[in-house]
Amino acid sequence: MKHPALQLKPKVAFFSTQVYDKVFFEKYNSDFGYELDFFETQLNEQTAKLRQSFF
């Protein structure tokens, strides 16, 4: 049996996301199963808190 930490899915956050970005990354992520979050907003000091759910 694998160690529980090895069973966690990697999480990836994308900022400044366009529709075509989401379509592309979701298509190719199907082989990997990462947890993807897409934000339309740009990454800056104010929006950086959106990624806090990744820790």
Side-chain angles (χ1 to χ4, degrees):
M1 182 173 200
K2 289 184 179 181
H3 187 278
L6 298 175
Q7 295 177 356
L8 296 175
K9 290 183 182 181
K11 298 179 181 180
V12 181
F14 295 90
F15 287 82
S16 302
T17 305
Q18 301 294 318
V19 174
Y20 53 82
D21 295 321
K22 188 173 180 179
V23 170
F24 176 85
F25 284 108
E26 285 182 338
K27 176 181 177 182
Y28 289 99
N29 183 49
S30 64
D31 291 338
F32 300 98
Y34 292 2
E35 184 177 326
L36 306 179
D37 274 342
F38 298 94
F39 301 99
E40 291 180 11
T41 186
Q42 292 183 348
L43 180 60
N44 58 45
E45 290 180 24
Q46 289 75 36
T47 61
K49 63 185 174 199
L50 294 171
R51 64 158 186 80
Q52 287 179 344
S53 65
F54 286 77
F55 299 105

